[in-house]
Amino acid sequence: MSKKMEIKKGIGVSPGYRIRRAFVLEEEDTTVPARFLSPKQDVESEIERFHEALKASIRDLEDLKQEIRKKLSPDLQEIFSVHQILLSDPAIRQKVEEKIRNHRCTAEYALTRTMRSYIRKFRSFRNNLFSNRSQDIRDLEKRVLRHLQGKKRKGINDLKEEVIVIAKDLLPSQTATFDKKHVVGFATDFGGKTSHTAILARAFGIPAVVGVGDLTAQVSNDDIVVIDGTNGLVILNPDEKTLKRYQQKERQHADFWNRLYTELKDLPCETLDGYEIKLWANIEVPQEVSLAVENGAEGVGLYRTEFLYLQSGKVPSEKEHLNAYLQALQELKGRPLVIRLLDMGADKYHHRSAPLQEKNPFLGCRSIRYLFEELDILKVQLRAILRASAHGDVRILLPMISSVEELEQAKTILEDIQEELHKQHLAFDENIKVGIMIEVPSAVLIADVLAQKVDFFSIGTNDLIQYTLAVDRVNEKVAFLYQPAHLSILRMLQHVVEVGKKNAIPVSICGEMSREMRYVLPLLGLGLTNISMTPVVIPEVKKIIRSTTLKEAKEVFEKILSFQTSEETEKFLETKIQQMVPDIFEVLQPTI
């Protein structure tokens, strides 16, 4: 009897489509019973056995780092450098040793008790970015246990055919060692967009969906599974009709990308009537720059530097900042690099900011406010950015500016750092450009004042929509109220662009709104200087822009300003884009 088709909704963390048989990755049994040493067994010998397992685990991680360096980028190996640091942490060693000595228990039991206490602490944090770090601790626990117990990891290294991996969760070290020839997609019960596993999936280019729920309980080895990483869907045992649709979509997606790349890679991003607009990329790690450039990015409009802090679990040094920025500049080959200062807080934390844990973090000590509280962090980053500016076109982006006072304070600190570098005879761009994120309503209303004090605006639609509509964008209960096409948002965008033109400063947009196909026409019609987006969607946006005129785009924007509801606007824009570029619409729309 054939199994019934089921459609599961999760979080798409890496786009693309795959239809393959499932390989269900069984969880390793890490249940460690309470066992104690016999009177004849020596405590110090047990501690030495623990030390040897730690040493072997650290060697494993060094090998894994070298593998990552060859496959991806030196930056991603830092994930496992952190694992090495944790295993070398005297506090962890001491706690395990104390348990062995005080309770005369086995090294396995002492290790598990210690690591599980850390896991509980990490999971107690409400924000996903910090709680996701519990996966790293669990990964380390399993690694050391394997050496203590003399076991090898049950893996998928002997695969002979392409599969989709299904797992409760994937540890960073598991994802890092995937053989891309055979693992062509994965889906997990747990996980989020900010986990190290999700970041590695995007770097590998493997379609992936996480946070699906009880997926592993419903999938067996060799079941046919569809992964729709673009729309966050997992389809189990698709019926014949769905299977054929997704087979066609997978072929279309591959053909479409090849065709777009071939057609557009050497062509300017301009409308049919000759209006040119720059397409830039949003990145989190330097290795994304090569993909962005390959897809046609003319610069990086938003370098989110939070990953520098989150990947290492510590505050990066000036040298670490500088090396990351120089790597990005090297890949850009003269193209601009806009670096946003650390935007920590709200739903993003590292170990220094975690203790804040505010009741309403999105309205609390985040972004520039947090940096003013942690001046040492701010100054280290500014020094590195300034020093990098001596090697290429670097620009500074200040996050969540809500008042003139905040802007003036930030500029004063920047001037102090510039004076320091002068005294140390360290080179930097004396005329480095400084811009601000327009992402709160107060900044929109005083944009005319702010424009006189900065070199450019970058509109962050994610937070602007959230703060304007009073909608928590990660709250499922009010998600339907998060409406980029809301008339108030459209009027705000129009106002900021008009202010930019009056003051002769460039205005770009870098929020998620810029990656949605249906919004390309109105954003073009606004008269933005450039649009910054996820690297993978650049060819699609370029295709749309080259298929229309600036006159038509302006008419579209004027038309949607006459609508009173978001629903009317969304329907009109979707119909318009479907008529203009039906091939893009067909590839990206969900089949179900």
Side-chain angles (χ1 to χ4, degrees):
M1 181 177 175
S2 60
K3 294 184 179 180
K4 185 179 178 181
M5 181 177 81
E6 288 191 64
I7 302 168
K8 311 287 287 184
K9 178 65 177 174
I11 304 167
V13 295
S14 187
Y17 308 93
R18 291 291 186 274
I19 308 164
R20 300 292 188 277
R21 293 190 180 278
F23 181 93
V24 182
L25 191 61
E26 301 293 339
E27 276 204 309
E28 293 179 77
D29 183 10
T30 55
T31 303
V32 177
R35 288 182 177 164
F36 302 90
L37 303 177
S38 68
K40 294 182 180 180
Q41 288 179 295
D42 180 42
V43 167
E44 295 306 318
S45 297
E46 191 68 7
I47 290 175
E48 181 58 30
R49 192 166 73 89
F50 166 61
H51 288 171
E52 290 300 319
L54 284 182
K55 291 176 185 176
S57 298
I58 291 171
R59 288 195 297 270
D60 285 350
L61 290 166
E62 190 59 39
D63 293 340
L64 188 53
K65 282 166 59 180
Q66 297 307 317
E67 188 173 349
I68 288 294
R69 179 183 284 274
K70 292 176 183 177
K71 285 184 177 180
L72 294 172
S73 161
D75 288 294
L76 287 179
Q77 71 175 346
E78 288 303 311
I79 293 172
F80 302 104
S81 293
V82 177
H83 286 201
Q84 288 178 316
I85 292 170
L86 287 170
L87 287 183
S88 303
D89 185 350
I92 293 177
R93 289 190 180 214
Q94 185 179 349
K95 287 182 180 180
V96 174
E97 291 171 8
E98 285 176 354
K99 284 181 170 59
I100 296 173
R101 285 197 176 96
N102 296 339
H103 304 286
R104 289 188 59 82
C105 61
T106 62
E108 289 91 337
Y109 187 58
L111 173 73
T112 297
R113 289 288 300 275
T114 300
M115 299 304 257
R116 293 302 166 89
S117 69
Y118 279 99
I119 289 172
R120 285 193 295 273
K121 286 179 182 177
F122 275 97
R123 286 180 175 170
S124 69
F125 291 108
R126 289 185 300 169
N127 66 88
N128 291 332
L129 272 164
F130 207 70
S131 62
N132 281 335
R133 299 293 80 81
S134 66
Q135 281 298 89
D136 297 285
I137 304 297
R138 192 163 71 94
D139 198 353
L140 293 177
E141 178 195 359
K142 290 186 175 185
R143 184 176 297 281
V144 179
L145 278 176
R146 283 195 296 273
H147 283 289
L148 284 170
Q149 297 170 342
K151 295 179 179 179
K152 292 184 177 180
R153 166 174 273 171
K154 298 174 184 177
I156 51 176
N157 299 323
D158 298 324
L159 291 172
K160 305 298 182 185
E161 62 180 356
E162 292 182 347
V163 299
I164 289 172
V165 170
I166 306 294
K168 281 186 175 294
D169 209 346
L170 287 168
L171 302 173
S173 60
Q174 289 175 302
T175 313
T177 54
F178 276 166
D179 178 0
K180 284 179 64 180
K181 291 181 180 178
H182 296 118
V183 178
V184 298
F186 70 77
T188 62
D189 291 350
F190 305 109
K193 284 187 176 182
T194 58
S195 68
H196 284 152
T197 293
I199 291 166
L200 288 166
R202 290 192 288 271
F204 272 121
I206 298 174
V209 180
V210 303
V212 185
D214 59 346
L215 183 64
T216 51
Q218 301 181 46
V219 182
S220 301
N221 281 322
D222 294 328
D223 282 354
I224 298 297
V225 175
V226 175
I227 294 288
D228 181 346
T230 302
N231 300 291
L233 299 176
V234 179
I235 304 168
L236 313 180
N237 305 297
D239 57 30
E240 187 175 349
K241 182 179 180 181
T242 302
L243 187 61
K244 286 182 178 179
R245 285 179 176 175
Y246 266 100
Q247 286 172 339
Q248 182 181 12
K249 187 175 283 286
E250 185 176 354
R251 288 192 301 269
Q252 283 178 332
H253 191 260
D255 292 344
F256 175 72
W257 274 99
N258 290 334
R259 188 173 71 252
L260 273 188
Y261 179 75
T262 303
E263 287 179 3
L264 303 177
K265 64 177 181 178
D266 298 321
L267 296 176
C269 182
E270 63 179 16
T271 60
L272 294 173
D273 52 356
Y275 178 76
E276 190 169 346
I277 186 170
K278 303 291 184 184
L279 297 186
W280 289 4
N282 298 340
I283 68 166
E284 293 186 67
V285 289
Q287 66 269 17
E288 289 183 275
V289 175
S290 59
L291 174 63
V293 171
E294 185 179 340
N295 283 343
E298 298 173 81
V300 168
L302 176 64
Y303 183 172
R304 298 184 176 104
T305 55
E306 291 76 45
F307 188 66
L308 287 170
Y309 298 77
L310 298 171
Q311 70 176 348
S312 63
K314 63 181 180 66
V315 176
S317 66
E318 182 179 328
K319 183 179 180 181
E320 288 170 324
H321 273 288
L322 181 59
N323 287 342
Y325 305 151
L326 291 179
Q327 183 184 345
L329 284 172
Q330 184 177 6
E331 295 283 352
L332 283 168
K333 295 180 173 59
R335 300 175 181 88
L337 174 66
V338 180
I339 302 174
R340 184 179 69 185
L341 295 184
L342 175 65
D343 184 10
M344 201 61 75
D347 58 347
K348 298 185 287 290
Y349 292 87
H350 65 96
H351 78 290
R352 281 270 294 272
S353 63
L356 294 173
Q357 290 297 297
E358 300 163 296
K359 290 183 179 179
N360 197 342
F362 280 94
L363 298 180
C365 189
R366 62 167 296 199
S367 301
I368 199 69
R369 300 168 185 174
Y370 171 75
L371 291 173
F372 289 156
E373 292 289 326
E374 301 284 351
L375 284 177
D376 58 328
I377 292 177
L378 173 57
K379 289 179 178 180
V380 164
Q381 185 171 24
L382 284 175
R383 281 179 60 90
I385 294 174
L386 285 170
R387 291 177 63 188
S389 70
H391 302 272
D393 184 356
V394 175
R395 307 172 191 184
I396 298 173
L397 184 58
L398 307 177
M400 214 180 87
I401 295 294
S402 60
S403 68
V404 173
E405 291 85 353
E406 285 176 334
L407 175 57
E408 295 287 9
Q409 185 176 352
K411 291 178 71 175
T412 298
I413 295 170
L414 176 62
E415 289 168 3
D416 290 342
I417 300 298
Q418 289 174 321
E419 185 62 31
E420 282 182 15
L421 296 180
H422 270 304
K423 290 178 180 179
Q424 295 171 338
H425 305 291
L426 293 173
F428 65 91
D429 180 2
E430 301 276 357
N431 299 307
I432 189 168
K433 294 180 180 178
V434 178
I436 61 170
M437 293 285 290
I438 301 291
E439 51 189 343
V440 293
S442 63
V444 174
L445 294 174
I446 61 169
D448 57 330
V449 179
L450 297 172
Q452 299 171 35
K453 302 175 182 293
V454 296
D455 297 303
F456 63 93
F457 284 158
S458 185
I459 304 172
T461 53
N462 299 356
D463 276 332
L464 183 59
I465 296 167
Q466 173 173 249
Y467 289 129
T468 303
L469 302 182
V471 176
D472 182 351
R473 54 191 165 102
V474 296
N475 186 332
E476 296 175 353
K477 293 182 180 179
V478 294
F480 68 98
L481 295 172
Y482 185 85
Q483 300 168 350
H486 194 284
L487 184 57
S488 64
I489 303 300
L490 298 176
R491 288 178 175 179
M492 282 185 165
L493 297 179
Q494 183 182 40
H495 174 68
V496 173
V497 173
E498 288 176 352
V499 168
K501 288 178 179 177
K502 287 179 182 178
N503 289 273
I505 65 169
V507 179
S508 66
I509 192 167
C510 62
E512 287 300 301
M513 189 177 180
S514 62
R515 64 166 291 170
E516 297 287 340
M517 298 303 106
R518 59 184 175 275
Y519 300 133
V520 174
L521 280 177
L523 293 180
L524 176 64
L526 269 170
L528 291 162
T529 309
N530 59 64
I531 305 175
S532 193
M533 65 205 73
T534 305
V536 294
V537 302
I538 290 174
E540 298 157 8
V541 174
K542 192 174 185 180
K543 173 71 172 178
I544 293 170
I545 290 172
R546 289 186 57 84
S547 302
T548 188
T549 64
L550 179 61
K551 180 176 181 294
E552 182 180 19
K554 286 181 176 180
E555 290 172 352
V556 166
F557 187 75
E558 289 299 323
K559 178 69 175 177
I560 63 176
L561 285 178
S562 68
F563 297 141
Q564 296 183 356
T565 68
S566 299
E567 186 179 358
E568 289 177 279
T569 300
E570 297 280 3
K571 186 176 181 180
F572 172 78
L573 292 177
E574 195 160 297
T575 300
K576 193 73 177 176
I577 203 71
Q578 187 174 8
Q579 293 170 346
M580 181 176 292
V581 281
D583 52 346
I584 291 181
F585 188 86
E586 186 176 355
V587 169
L588 296 180
Q589 284 299 102
T591 296
I592 301 302

